Amino acid sequence: MSEATVLVVEDEPDIAALYAGFLEERYNVTVAATAVEAIEVVDGTVDAVLLDRRLPDGSGDEVLEHIRENDLDCRVAMVTAVEPDFDIIDMGFDLYLTKPVNRANLLAALETLLTRDEYDELLQEAAALASKRAVLKAQKPTAQLDDNEAFDELVSRLDELDADMDAIAESLSTDDYRAMFRDLGEA
């Protein structure tokens, strides 16, 4: 995976600088201090957003809503001092971190977000290829399938994807794994 782009949405300059400092060695980091600025900056190039819920010109919830309504393909972690309440049930974030957040927790959260994203991409590719394999198996004689190079490549790619997904699943904690499938079930 190439270097990911992370948008930090935080109105406290010291905290924003701290988070950016934690992340800059591993990621391309952009900082936005307001909801308006975050909405202007977030686009299809952003892989993950670390989003404060309290911003001077509105709520991080509005930024999250903008991201989801515009089908921007990024993962979102709420990083906030707002204690979670039942209002989070209907929110489309991927992780919720309550401040204060240290370097290790922030980096771990970001790795979890990006790993889930990678798993989702592999799963989508595997599902498409599995569908193609099923159609061909139902329509073609086994001898034709065995002699077809493109079909062999499809089966090989499915095997690779299975191995890659197994490796990712082993690297995730049980909670991460459950949450990933819960996210997929809601999609």
Side-chain angles (χ1 to χ4, degrees):
M1 177 185 290
S2 64
E3 191 172 284
T5 298
V6 178
L7 173 61
V8 175
V9 184
E10 172 60 58
D11 63 315
E12 295 292 331
D14 292 342
I15 294 174
L18 183 67
Y19 291 172
F22 289 164
L23 303 173
E24 287 174 335
E25 274 187 35
R26 299 182 189 180
Y27 307 103
N28 293 319
V29 179
T30 301
V31 175
T34 66
V36 169
E37 186 180 355
I39 288 170
E40 289 174 359
V41 172
V42 70
D43 61 19
T45 65
V46 174
D47 297 298
V49 179
L50 302 177
L51 180 59
D52 193 357
R53 287 187 73 180
R54 289 187 187 140
L55 298 167
D57 62 339
S59 169
D61 302 4
E62 296 165 11
V63 176
L64 176 62
E65 200 171 292
H66 169 82
I67 290 168
R68 296 306 183 224
E69 285 177 357
N70 288 282
D71 294 323
L72 297 175
D73 187 25
C74 61
R75 295 290 183 160
V76 178
M78 302 303 275
V79 184
T80 181
V82 177
E83 288 294 323
D85 203 349
F86 293 107
D87 65 331
I88 70 168
I89 292 171
D90 294 325
M91 295 173 65
F93 60 81
D94 299 287
L95 286 175
Y96 198 98
L97 303 174
T98 305
K99 291 178 181 176
V101 178
N102 64 30
R103 182 180 194 274
N105 289 344
L106 197 65
L107 289 170
L110 210 41
E111 285 300 315
T112 297
L113 291 176
L114 297 172
T115 299
R116 286 182 187 178
D117 194 52
E118 180 183 2
Y119 193 93
D120 287 352
E121 289 173 12
L122 294 174
L123 186 60
Q124 287 175 4
E125 182 183 354
L129 292 178
S131 178
K132 293 172 185 177
R133 179 182 61 189
V135 168
L136 290 170
K137 279 187 164 189
Q139 298 297 319
K140 298 290 182 187
T142 303
Q144 277 187 324
L145 295 173
D146 291 343
D147 291 337
N148 189 283
E149 187 176 327
F151 186 77
D152 287 343
E153 289 174 10
L154 180 143
V155 171
S156 292
R157 179 63 182 146
L158 272 169
D159 290 341
E160 290 172 16
L161 290 169
D162 285 343
D164 291 347
M165 288 187 296
D166 286 346
I168 289 173
E170 288 175 14
S171 75
L172 294 171
S173 72
T174 302
D175 289 340
D176 290 332
Y177 194 71
R178 285 186 187 128
M180 183 171 48
F181 280 101
R182 184 176 55 244
D183 292 346
L184 291 174
E186 295 170 359

